[in-house]
Amino acid sequence: SLSAPPSFLTAVPPLTNIVTYSTLMSRAVSLGKPHVALRLWRLMKSQDEFWSRIDVEEGHRSGEDVMIPDVKAVNIVMNVYAKLGDWESAMGLLDQMRSERGGEDVPKMEPNIVTYNTLIDACHRAGELIPALSTFHTMTATPDARTYTSLISTVARKPSPHYGVNDPALAFDLLDNMIRRGVTPNGMTYCALIDVCSRCGRSDLALKGLRMMLRQEKEQRERGVRRRGGRDDYVGAWTAAIDACGKAGHVDTALKLFHAMEKFGSRPNTVTCGCLMDRLLRAPPLSRGTSSDGDAGSSHYGNDTEVRISDALDVLRYMRSRNMEPSEVMYTSLISSAGRLVKLENRMTLKERRQPDHDNGGNSGGGGGTTCAIDVYKELMGSLMLGDRKSSAATTPQTHTLLLKVFLVFQEMKSRGATPDVACYNALLRACANAGDIAKAHDTFAQMTRDGNDVEGTESVIPNDLTWRELLRAAARGGGEGDVEEVWNMARGWKEGVKVEWRPDGNAFEALVMGYWRDCGSLLEGVGAETERERFRLYEKIVVAYCHVLAGEGDNGDFRHRFSDIESSIPAAVSGLEHVDLDGIHSNQKLMLIILRAAVVLELARGGSGTRQHEQCNDKIIVSSSVSPMEEKQRYNVNYCEVARRIVRLECLSENSARVLTMTDSKTANALQLARIWSEK
């Protein structure tokens, strides 16, 4: 009947039960909100259906309606107390579980291994060793690796002899007990053991724990036992050992451990690098001829007041090579150290800065001279760009944020009195290119040339290949045809401070093509004959530039003869392309697809032999039917069909390698398919 209300309005909602509350509490804990989970537990206890508020035997309510906590629910609540560091409440739950009549919150039930591990973890978080050991000795379940790991981690958490302070013997006893019971220690267990030794100030025993781990790993490898957690299973133990040595002042030993990690199958992570860098920057100054471990003659630093900045930079470079972005704490520490170094260098005479340290064979290791502080700033600016990828065509808010950060580091460097070199400015230009900010790139280049002219002794601030490459990238991503040609002409005509004129490479050629292509993209939405002619003009520039590279490379005689007359008609903006390495651009799939698409469109538009072959197949045309044939005066003397045939035979555009890029671009895919048809004729 139309007058009857919908069934979902008359349906009675289901009652909440123990599963409902358990799921909600577990979800709250997983989201890092233990206080919310605790409120849910208290809300559940206040319900009329909670088991301690009902006498089921008197029949006040059926047993199915009563919320009786099971062991899983109790474990969740105990985990809530563990996260909050409330070991006493967690212990109270265990006492109720083991009580003959149960307790106010939970009935009598048998605890499982999860219950005991969670309680010991609560004691570990609170640093309470004695109740943790008491729980361990009264366990009715068989302890596992997590049980022992939590117990070992609890040792020496508080400054009292009862808690194992200054004496990690208890931790080693627990490890021995673990092995005797047939429980195999894992990476987390050894990490906990080494951490205990570190808290006790016993770096020697920390190294002993590391050797025990390596010996166990070797034995397992010989028996054919694989690591349970893969190659990262023992990284925590290595990190703890590095930290223990660093805290004890044995920085050289920490460095040796860092460099030895990968030999033993463990790769340093961000925590490892951050820990080592922190210890390096906190290390006291080295005396000449003495290492941090007290060994004479092993220092590679030229000044008594210098910090271990060279080694810290090596760690930062390692992080960059592994695409690991340093934390804000690392940045702050490195900037502070660089500032101290600038003050030191400014007090030195120019002769002292440039004089090599004869005590170490003239190798300052990056820690001496004016370049030391500059190196820190350069590495910081370079590491800020780890999130960007050169191949990314679009800029994002993150790239502009990184651009701001890079310039802040640069301003900090100048405010401290350091003199930037060309690498510093190149880092700024790279940030501008990633953000597509051509105006900022031009301002940076202008400031670079002013600094090179105004500051005495800054002959190193001279544009190099990387300078022009980043300027061209900025022009390609933030500008277009006019911008890339302006930078190209400026680079080709730059004479100040250079002995050899700039020669473009494959990266410069890619930036040039991408600048043209960017303007082509802006014209795709336009209509009309004028817009089409402008797009064809840009396509021609792309293809002719590529042909000029071919002619300069001295390709096979027949093909070179076809393009022997293009040099007279090629625009001055692309002069010097004969220096571009052909193999380098032929391995760039994205670049060659752009040139291929331009060549196919031009061949179809001019109505050449390729067009006749296209009419004989059922392929989908890639240009609109309204395109009129190109005017004679608009064309260069180039056989676009032959260019397309040449490109489609490249290895980078084979059937398998070209599939990834063409799947998301139907027009480029059609151009590739048509060029393959032409190639078969």
Side-chain angles (χ1 to χ4, degrees):
S1 148
L2 294 176
S3 60
S7 59
F8 68 87
L9 293 179
T10 59
V12 178
L15 295 175
T16 56
N17 54 28
I18 190 64
V19 177
T20 307
Y21 283 100
S22 297
T23 304
L24 289 173
M25 288 189 293
S26 177
R27 183 62 175 165
V29 172
S30 65
L31 293 175
K33 299 182 180 298
H35 288 93
V36 175
L38 186 60
R39 288 177 59 189
L40 288 168
W41 168 242
R42 291 170 178 169
L43 178 63
M44 182 175 69
K45 292 195 299 181
S46 67
Q47 301 300 308
D48 293 337
E49 295 84 6
F50 193 68
W51 79 281
S52 61
R53 301 170 64 88
I54 298 174
D55 188 354
V56 180
E57 295 180 356
E58 295 182 4
H60 291 169
R61 203 175 296 258
S62 66
E64 294 181 357
D65 296 336
V66 180
M67 289 190 292
I68 304 177
D70 55 8
V71 66
K72 183 177 181 179
V74 176
N75 289 342
I76 294 173
V77 177
M78 194 172 289
N79 190 32
V80 172
Y81 289 131
K83 301 297 185 192
L84 297 173
D86 188 358
W87 69 273
E88 293 175 325
S89 297
M91 183 69 77
L93 286 178
L94 180 64
D95 292 340
Q96 293 182 51
M97 294 173 70
R98 296 192 295 194
S99 175
E100 187 63 32
R101 297 179 58 87
E104 181 181 356
D105 297 331
V106 298
K108 178 180 177 3
M109 66 184 72
E110 183 64 28
N112 57 21
I113 185 61
V114 177
T115 309
Y116 289 109
N117 285 344
T118 306
L119 177 55
I120 293 175
D121 181 60
C123 297
H124 156 244
R125 292 174 182 268
E128 294 293 339
L129 177 61
I130 295 176
L133 290 174
S134 175
T135 302
F136 173 71
H137 291 304
T138 58
M139 285 180 62
T140 56
T142 303
D144 57 10
R146 182 177 178 182
T147 311
Y148 283 102
T149 300
S150 297
L151 277 173
I152 293 172
S153 298
T154 314
V155 177
R157 288 281 176 183
K158 288 189 174 182
S160 170
H162 297 289
Y163 291 89
V165 68
N166 298 329
D167 185 11
L170 178 59
F172 282 94
D173 290 341
L174 289 170
L175 182 69
D176 292 339
N177 183 278
M178 176 182 186
I179 296 174
R180 284 197 305 269
R181 287 199 177 192
V183 182
T184 303
N186 54 30
M188 292 298 296
T189 308
Y190 284 108
C191 178
L193 177 68
I194 296 171
D195 268 335
V196 172
C197 298
S198 177
R199 289 195 294 271
C200 295
R202 296 296 302 273
S203 60
D204 56 330
L205 294 179
L207 293 176
K208 175 185 176 182
L210 184 65
R211 287 192 293 269
M212 292 172 64
M213 180 191 75
L214 295 177
R215 187 162 52 248
Q216 173 186 302
E217 183 187 14
K218 181 180 178 182
E219 293 174 354
Q220 290 178 338
R221 190 167 56 249
E222 291 174 350
R223 296 198 308 267
V225 179
R226 290 187 176 183
R227 283 187 181 185
R228 216 169 182 183
R231 64 181 301 160
D232 296 330
D233 186 35
Y234 293 150
V235 173
W238 282 95
T239 304
I242 290 172
D243 186 59
C245 293
K247 284 181 178 178
H250 304 306
V251 182
D252 284 341
T253 302
L255 275 170
K256 292 177 182 177
L257 292 177
F258 177 80
H259 293 300
M261 284 183 66
E262 294 199 32
K263 298 178 182 178
F264 289 93
S266 296
R267 179 176 296 176
N269 56 22
T270 305
V271 179
T272 310
C273 297
C275 175
L276 177 59
M277 190 176 296
D278 179 66
R279 293 304 162 192
L280 286 169
L281 297 177
R282 288 170 180 256
L286 293 171
S287 298
R288 188 180 296 273
T290 304
S291 72
S292 64
D293 291 339
D295 298 327
S298 60
S299 174
H300 53 282
Y301 296 88
N303 296 283
D304 295 345
T305 56
E306 290 178 1
V307 295
R308 305 296 296 262
I309 193 68
S310 176
D311 292 322
L313 281 180
D314 288 341
V315 176
L316 188 61
R317 293 183 184 110
Y318 175 86
M319 295 181 69
R320 287 186 62 188
S321 68
R322 296 294 190 273
N323 290 325
M324 293 187 290
E325 187 173 356
S327 65
E328 294 182 1
V329 175
M330 294 186 203
Y331 283 123
T332 304
S333 300
L334 282 168
I335 288 177
S336 299
S337 299
R340 293 194 298 269
L341 267 172
V342 171
K343 292 180 180 179
L344 169 66
E345 293 166 357
N346 289 340
R347 291 196 298 265
M348 299 166 61
T349 65
L350 185 61
K351 182 178 179 180
E352 288 174 334
R353 296 177 189 175
R354 295 180 176 176
Q355 183 177 4
D357 183 9
H358 297 290
D359 291 344
N360 59 16
N363 178 22
S364 64
T370 53
T371 58
C372 181
I374 292 297
D375 284 342
V376 179
Y377 291 116
K378 285 188 294 189
E379 290 297 329
L380 284 172
M381 288 188 288
S383 60
L384 280 169
M385 254 85 70
L386 288 177
D388 279 348
R389 292 293 180 267
K390 181 181 176 181
S391 60
S392 177
T395 58
T396 63
Q398 182 186 9
T399 58
H400 292 282
T401 301
L402 293 176
L403 175 63
L404 175 62
K405 290 182 179 180
V406 171
F407 272 87
L408 287 176
V409 174
F410 183 80
Q411 294 301 328
E412 170 71 15
M413 174 184 64
K414 296 198 72 175
S415 67
R416 293 283 185 151
T419 303
D421 59 7
V422 65
C424 295
Y425 286 105
N426 287 344
L428 293 180
L429 290 173
R430 182 189 175 195
C432 295
N434 290 344
D437 195 335
I438 182 60
K440 195 73 172 177
H442 279 301
D443 292 342
T444 301
F445 183 78
Q447 182 181 359
M448 173 182 174
T449 55
R450 286 196 304 270
D451 287 350
N453 294 329
D454 297 342
V455 182
E456 183 181 358
T458 57
E459 62 275 1
S460 61
V461 189
I462 297 174
N464 56 21
D465 287 342
L466 184 58
T467 307
W468 301 118
R469 184 191 309 166
E470 298 301 345
L471 266 175
L472 283 168
R473 278 212 310 128
R477 298 189 69 174
E481 175 192 8
D483 296 289
V484 292
E485 290 181 355
E486 178 187 357
V487 174
W488 190 285
N489 284 329
M490 182 167 55
R492 291 287 293 165
W494 191 267
K495 304 296 182 183
E496 187 176 339
V498 297
K499 298 179 180 179
V500 181
E501 68 174 357
W502 175 71
R503 293 186 173 185
D505 58 6
N507 292 307
F509 177 75
E510 179 185 8
L512 179 71
V513 172
M514 295 307 295
Y516 294 150
W517 189 251
R518 189 173 189 271
D519 279 357
C520 290
S522 64
L523 294 170
L524 286 177
E525 301 299 329
V527 294
E530 186 65 30
T531 300
E532 290 172 350
R533 280 195 294 270
E534 180 65 15
R535 191 167 72 250
F536 289 149
R537 184 184 64 82
L538 293 170
Y539 284 156
E540 286 174 332
K541 279 197 170 187
I542 292 174
V543 177
V544 169
Y546 173 66
C547 293
H548 195 65
V549 175
L550 291 174
E553 280 286 333
D555 228 277
N556 64 76
D558 178 61
F559 196 79
R560 186 180 181 186
H561 175 71
R562 296 171 186 262
F563 304 102
S564 60
D565 59 344
I566 66 171
E567 189 171 1
S568 60
S569 60
I570 202 165
V574 291
S575 64
L577 282 173
E578 64 273 8
H579 302 296
V580 176
D581 178 29
L582 192 61
D583 292 335
I585 64 174
H586 277 175
S587 61
N588 189 330
Q589 184 189 81
K590 181 179 180 180
L591 177 63
M592 298 316 299
L593 280 173
I594 289 174
I595 302 173
L596 173 70
R597 179 171 164 182
V600 171
V601 170
L602 292 173
E603 175 67 14
L604 294 175
R606 78 167 186 169
S609 60
T611 304
R612 292 191 295 272
Q613 294 175 16
H614 170 71
E615 291 172 350
Q616 297 174 4
C617 68
N618 296 322
D619 185 59
K620 183 179 179 181
I621 195 167
I622 64 173
V623 293
S624 64
S625 58
S626 62
V627 173
S628 58
M630 297 167 56
E631 299 176 5
E632 184 67 28
K633 63 180 181 179
Q634 190 181 358
R635 283 182 257 145
Y636 295 113
N637 184 20
V638 176
N639 187 338
Y640 301 111
C641 183
E642 184 64 30
V643 173
R645 288 193 184 110
R646 162 100 183 188
I647 295 175
V648 82
R649 297 189 186 107
L650 296 175
E651 179 64 27
C652 69
L653 297 185
S654 62
E655 291 284 350
N656 294 329
S657 60
R659 188 174 302 160
V660 176
L661 286 181
T662 57
M663 283 178 63
T664 57
D665 188 345
S666 60
K667 292 183 178 180
T668 304
N670 291 333
L672 182 61
Q673 183 180 356
L674 186 55
R676 285 174 178 158
I677 295 174
W678 295 347
S679 178
E680 294 172 357
K681 298 298 182 177

